[in-house]
Amino acid sequence: MDPRTNPTDFPEPTLIAVNGVDLEVFEAGRQNAGKPVVLCHGWPDLAFTWRHQVPALVAAGFHVIAPNQRGYGNSARPGEVTDYDIAHLAGDLIGLLDHYGYPDATFIGHDWGAMVVWSLTLLHPTRVNKVICLSLPYPVRGDRPWLEFMEAVLGSDYYFVHFNRQPGVADAVFDENPARFLRNLYCKNEPSGEVPPGMEMIDIARAETRRGELLMSEDDLAVYIAAFQSSGFTGGINWYRNLDRDWHLLADVDPIIRQPALMIYGDRDPVARLENLADFVPGVEETHLDSGHWIQQERPEATTRMILEWLDRHATSPSGSA
């Protein structure tokens, strides 16, 4: 990676072959073998989203593993939509544990990364010792597939639904001008926590006026722009295109997460809280910050402190060695 876009305290990437694909992985703190933490980004995001947390986690004694998940950065971008279902995404993370020789790890996820972490814990409960999720609470599996339910409640223009019902349309709009889309998207949320009426993702991508204050530096934004100019957005959007498939894949698993868990909400995040989260995650501790959706970037110091204090309270013996 160009050193001008790679902060000195963010690790250099390594390509690691796991689960039939190559993942671009940013690793730090290998000297802390036995205390692995895997950081999972969301959409449209990168491992770089954790740049504020990585040095502090290493200093606290953790071995940090932060992949650009499949579809992102220089990681593999398979051509089949079904290659991005939750079984594949979870399998990639299990492959990373196997690569480093860990029987289990603590997983931290934000946005879609939280969806992956919750689902990974359901699919591979013995490989997860603790869960920390930001923004997106546990995805309750109701009686109807998720996309079908969203379309009935939120309509066909809702971006989750639009990505599926009009394949390729959003991809082309985002790819047309990644810099404008990302600059418009990575803003602090409005005080109400709501996206302005009618402002779906395509509207945001095409808007000439940014919705609010940019929440990162221009240098940091340049990392995102360069990455998505190279990769495009289709790989990440394909995660959305598997939501109903994921609903079916999770049909037969035990829906209760028994690991200790921390759920961090943003007070101005438009993502809704789950009022009965403890019914599905009985060991959860719920907390919040005065933040929009991009919690770990908008409130980096507070987020890092919250994570480290919780991990300290839930410290266990090392899980293994690399």
Side-chain angles (χ1 to χ4, degrees), residues 151-212:
E151 187 167 19
V153 174
L154 300 169
S156 59
D157 288 337
Y158 183 59
Y159 71 99
F160 279 65
V161 180
H162 184 279
F163 287 170
N164 284 269
R165 304 298 185 244
Q166 300 187 49
V169 174
D171 316 42
V173 172
F174 302 152
D175 288 347
E176 178 183 299
N177 194 332
R180 182 173 64 191
F181 176 43
L182 294 166
R183 185 178 294 277
N184 288 345
L185 187 66
Y186 276 100
C187 296
K188 297 181 180 180
N189 284 81
E190 301 294 338
S192 66
E194 298 291 338
V195 174
M199 283 289 282
E200 293 295 353
M201 287 295 170
I202 287 180
D203 299 304
I204 291 171
R206 288 174 168 162
E208 296 297 335
T209 303
R210 196 167 67 241
R211 294 177 298 133

Side-chain angles (χ1 to χ4, degrees), residues 51-101:
R51 61 197 176 278
H52 303 292
Q53 286 73 48
V54 169
L57 284 165
V58 171
F62 293 96
H63 179 192
V64 179
I65 302 162
N68 276 337
Q69 296 174 86
R70 66 168 65 195
Y72 291 87
N74 291 316
S75 291
R77 299 189 293 276
E80 295 295 325
V81 171
T82 53
D83 286 338
Y84 297 85
D85 67 25
I86 199 61
H88 285 88
L89 299 177
D92 292 349
L93 300 178
I94 296 302
L96 281 179
L97 292 190
D98 293 343
H99 171 83
Y100 288 106

